[in-house]
């Protein structure tokens, strides 16, 4: 059975996602982890050094300005699960308004970014890349800020990496993830319904309020 954009969206709605063994492997397989990584929208951790970096004005951020550049940047590594078919499928979802990329620029050069798929109020992060120090962290911080302001309730990272753990990422069970996904699918968020932050200082300030609210809710 060939994978279509419609089938891919259905897979995300049921909690699974595609991968390939290598960039030159034509086969796609479906992944349904027993333990799932997520970034709580009220738990993104901005360190003092990252806050200082975000406040600098030596970079710019865009949304969907260079989707191809982001997905190719994510695939530009020795080992990648992004093969030609997966690349084409996400391009198709991007054309349909279902896949989005956030880009980070320095000196008019694309230096980092993150892309993913939106289903309901869930944003399923697929991959990110960085060609300059902290570029992927900048991308995630700006994306988290935008997701919170546009109605998203779940940010799926698929797996929990040490890098994501330092930023507040956590691991939950498959059962817990599916319950959260089911709730997120009951509403429809629109990442285009609000503009990007005006600057990094806004991102830092709003994140502090969100994490404080999250801490108060858990007390």
């Amino acid at each position: 059975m060939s994978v279509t954009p419609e089938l891919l969206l259905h897979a995300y709605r049921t909690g699974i996602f595609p991968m390939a063994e290598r960039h030159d492997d034509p086969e796609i397989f479906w992944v349904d982890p027993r333990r799932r990584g997520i970034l709580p929208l009220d738990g993104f951790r901005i360190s003092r050094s990252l806050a200082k970096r975000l406040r600098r004005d030596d970079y710019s951020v865009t949304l969907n300005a260079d989707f191809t550049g982001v997905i190719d940047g994510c695939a530009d590594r020795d080992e990648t699960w992004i093969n030609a078919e997966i690349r084409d499928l996400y391009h198709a979802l991007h054309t349909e308004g279902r896949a989005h990329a956030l880009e980070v620029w320095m000196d008019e050069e694309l230096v980092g970014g993150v892309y993913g798929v939106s289903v309901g109020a869930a944003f399923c992060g697929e991959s990110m890349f960085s060609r300059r120090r902290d570029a992927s962290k900048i991308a995630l911080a700006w994306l988290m800020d935008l997701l919170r302001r546009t109605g998203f309730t779940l940010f799926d990272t698929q797996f929990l990496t040490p890098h994501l753990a330092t930023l507040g990422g956590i691991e939950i069970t498959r059962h817990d993830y599916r319950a959260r996904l089911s709730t997120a699918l009951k509403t429809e968020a629109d990442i285009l319904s609000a503009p990007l932050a005006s600057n990094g200082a806004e991102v830092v300030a709003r994140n502090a309020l969100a994490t404080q609210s999250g801490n108060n809710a858990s007390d």
Side-chain angles (χ1 to χ4, degrees), residues 4 24 28 31-32 46 76 99 118 122 126 128 137 144 159 181 216:
T4 63
D24 58 351
I28 291 178
V31 184
D32 185 14
I46 295 181
D76 184 19
S118 61
E126 277 299 312
M128 58 186 178
K137 291 181 181 180
M144 291 288 281
F159 301 105
L181 177 61
N216 290 341

Side-chain angles (χ1 to χ4, degrees), residues 42 44 46 55 145 148 201-215:
D42 59 0
F44 188 67
I46 295 181
R55 292 189 185 104
D145 176 70
R148 282 194 298 263
E202 278 190 10
V203 172
V204 174
R206 278 197 290 255
N207 189 78
L209 291 174
T211 53
Q212 182 61 47
S213 175
N215 290 336

Side-chain angles (χ1 to χ4, degrees), residues 36-178:
R36 194 75 168 229
I38 65 168
L39 262 175
L41 290 168
D42 59 0
F44 188 67
R45 191 176 301 143
I46 295 181
S47 65
R48 289 184 179 179
S49 61
L50 179 56
K52 183 178 180 180
R53 184 70 190 84
L54 286 164
R55 292 189 185 104
R56 289 169 61 179
D57 60 359
D58 62 345
Y59 69 92
S60 61
V61 175
T62 54
L63 181 69
N64 292 330
D66 191 356
F67 186 87
T68 298
V70 171
I71 196 169
D72 287 349
C74 293
D76 184 19
R77 57 192 69 176
D78 292 337
E79 294 185 11
T80 179
W81 52 266
I82 302 173
N83 66 6
E85 184 177 3
I86 285 176
R87 184 179 184 274
D88 290 346
L89 282 166
Y90 288 110
H91 268 289
L93 290 185
H94 175 62
T95 301
E96 295 176 4
R98 285 297 187 175
H100 305 278
L102 185 142
E103 305 92 5
V104 179
W105 307 82
M106 295 180 187
D107 302 320
E108 299 184 357
E109 176 188 357
L110 180 65
V111 297
V114 56
Y115 81 95
V117 176
S118 61
V119 285
F123 187 86
C124 304
E126 277 299 312
S127 190
M128 58 186 178
F129 80 101
S130 181
R131 295 188 181 125
R132 297 272 188 96
R133 183 176 179 180
D134 292 332
S136 63
K137 291 181 181 180
I138 292 171
L140 280 177
W142 281 69
L143 178 59
M144 291 288 281
D145 176 70
L146 184 61
L147 295 179
R148 282 194 298 263
R149 291 185 292 112
T150 53
F152 286 84
T153 60
L154 176 64
F155 188 179
D156 168 30
T157 66
Q158 299 177 349
F159 301 105
L160 179 65
T161 65
H163 174 64
L164 289 172
T166 66
L167 297 171
I170 62 173
E171 197 173 57
I172 60 177
T173 65
R174 179 191 293 157
H175 177 78
D176 189 2
Y177 174 75
R178 288 183 174 174

